[in-house]
Amino acid sequence: HHFGIGLCPTSNDLGKLGEAPTDPQLLDWLAAQIPANGWSIKAMHRVIMNSAAYRMSSIPTASALAKDAPNELLSRYRLRRLEAEELRDAMLATAGTLSDAKGGPGVRPPMPEEVLATSSKPDEVWPRTPEDTWTRRTLYVEVKRSLLHPLLSVFDMADVDGPCPVRFNTVQPTQALSMFNGELTNMLAADLAERVMRERPGDLRAQLSWARELSSGRVPAARDLDEAEAFVAEL
């Protein structure tokens, strides 16, 4: 999951019918680390994410392209798209409203009225939990098979009707439309705007730069800021 594809691409079939692992010795070594570290999965995350392979640049060298064009051997970092749950969490974190509460029962944040209307009992099918739970990580959001959140569903959330060992990324118009028109995304966009104005008061260019840095994890180039300032002026 950290690299998008496992050392064995068929993660639900490690037998003879599945695909062979790209590096069986590494797979064996990693498997041995789990009991060696007291069966701690967190320790395994730490081993993987502190590795040179995980921290490599995604920009390929000429040698990497020649020897490992499909990047099966991780000669460079393998770019991957945020999954549905990560996308919602990332937007909440960027807006500065993501809750750090851990554990406890599942939560039910607001569901779009159009989705609730598909139920035979729209007023009863999704009783909201208290408002202070609505910004918790998506891990804690309850999943109801007959009532899926449209943002999560359209961004390739796992199939809830059967086993889903691998998620496949799709590109479809409803993804862009959900981001542009969704009540949640527009609310979080407003929260982000309030945050950058509060933390970088009185300086539009600094606000634009901070918004880009918060949302992308990098300082924007001067050309990007010029375009953003021109766009704000046009609006």
Side-chain angles (χ1 to χ4, degrees):
H1 281 84
H2 286 305
F3 290 96
I5 303 173
L7 292 172
C8 176
T10 50
S11 56
N12 65 325
D13 189 350
L14 297 174
K16 290 184 178 180
L17 296 179
E19 291 187 38
T22 55
D23 195 328
Q25 292 82 13
L26 177 57
L27 189 59
D28 286 344
W29 183 86
L30 287 168
Q33 298 310 299
I34 297 178
N37 286 291
W39 302 96
S40 169
I41 299 300
K42 183 175 286 188
M44 176 56 66
H45 288 307
R46 196 171 288 119
V47 166
I48 293 173
M49 298 177 76
N50 281 324
S51 69
Y54 185 79
R55 293 182 292 164
M56 278 194 298
S57 168
S58 61
I59 301 173
T61 62
S63 174
L65 284 176
K67 297 178 181 178
D68 182 29
N71 200 21
E72 292 176 344
L73 302 178
L74 294 177
S75 55
R76 56 196 178 277
Y77 186 75
R78 185 185 290 130
L79 290 175
R80 70 173 183 86
R81 201 170 73 180
L82 290 179
E83 293 187 348
E85 296 87 348
E86 296 170 325
L87 178 64
R88 178 180 176 275
D89 290 356
M91 290 192 294
L92 285 164
T94 300
T97 56
L98 181 66
S99 168
D100 61 359
K102 296 180 177 63
V107 301
R108 290 183 298 275
M111 184 74 77
E113 294 295 331
E114 296 83 358
V115 177
L116 294 175
T118 64
S119 171
S120 58
K121 297 181 178 180
D123 296 329
E124 303 174 18
V125 68
W126 189 257
R128 297 178 182 179
T129 50
E131 188 172 348
D132 60 357
T133 68
W134 295 353
T135 59
R136 296 198 65 188
R137 290 174 57 201
T138 313
L139 171 71
Y140 297 107
V141 175
E142 288 190 8
V143 175
K144 189 177 179 65
R145 285 190 299 174
S146 61
L147 203 72
L148 298 178
H149 194 288
L151 181 71
L152 303 182
S153 181
V154 78
F155 279 98
D156 312 310
M157 176 184 174
D159 177 18
V160 295
D161 288 317
C164 183
V166 178
R167 296 189 189 187
F168 297 98
N169 291 333
T170 63
V171 178
Q172 47 186 306
T174 45
Q175 293 170 341
L177 293 171
S178 295
M179 296 293 281
F180 275 122
N181 304 319
E183 183 178 345
L184 174 64
T185 51
N186 277 276
M187 179 187 72
L188 292 176
D191 289 342
L192 173 60
E194 291 179 9
R195 177 182 180 181
V196 297
M197 287 190 289
R198 182 176 66 252
E199 296 178 359
R200 299 291 188 274
D203 187 337
L204 175 61
R205 194 174 181 87
Q207 292 167 358
L208 293 169
S209 178
W210 186 224
R212 283 292 185 91
E213 188 173 347
L214 286 170
S215 56
S216 68
R218 65 177 179 84
V219 177
R223 186 181 66 180
D224 294 334
L225 291 177
D226 292 340
E227 291 177 351
E229 277 193 296
F231 181 60
V232 171
E234 181 181 344
L235 290 176

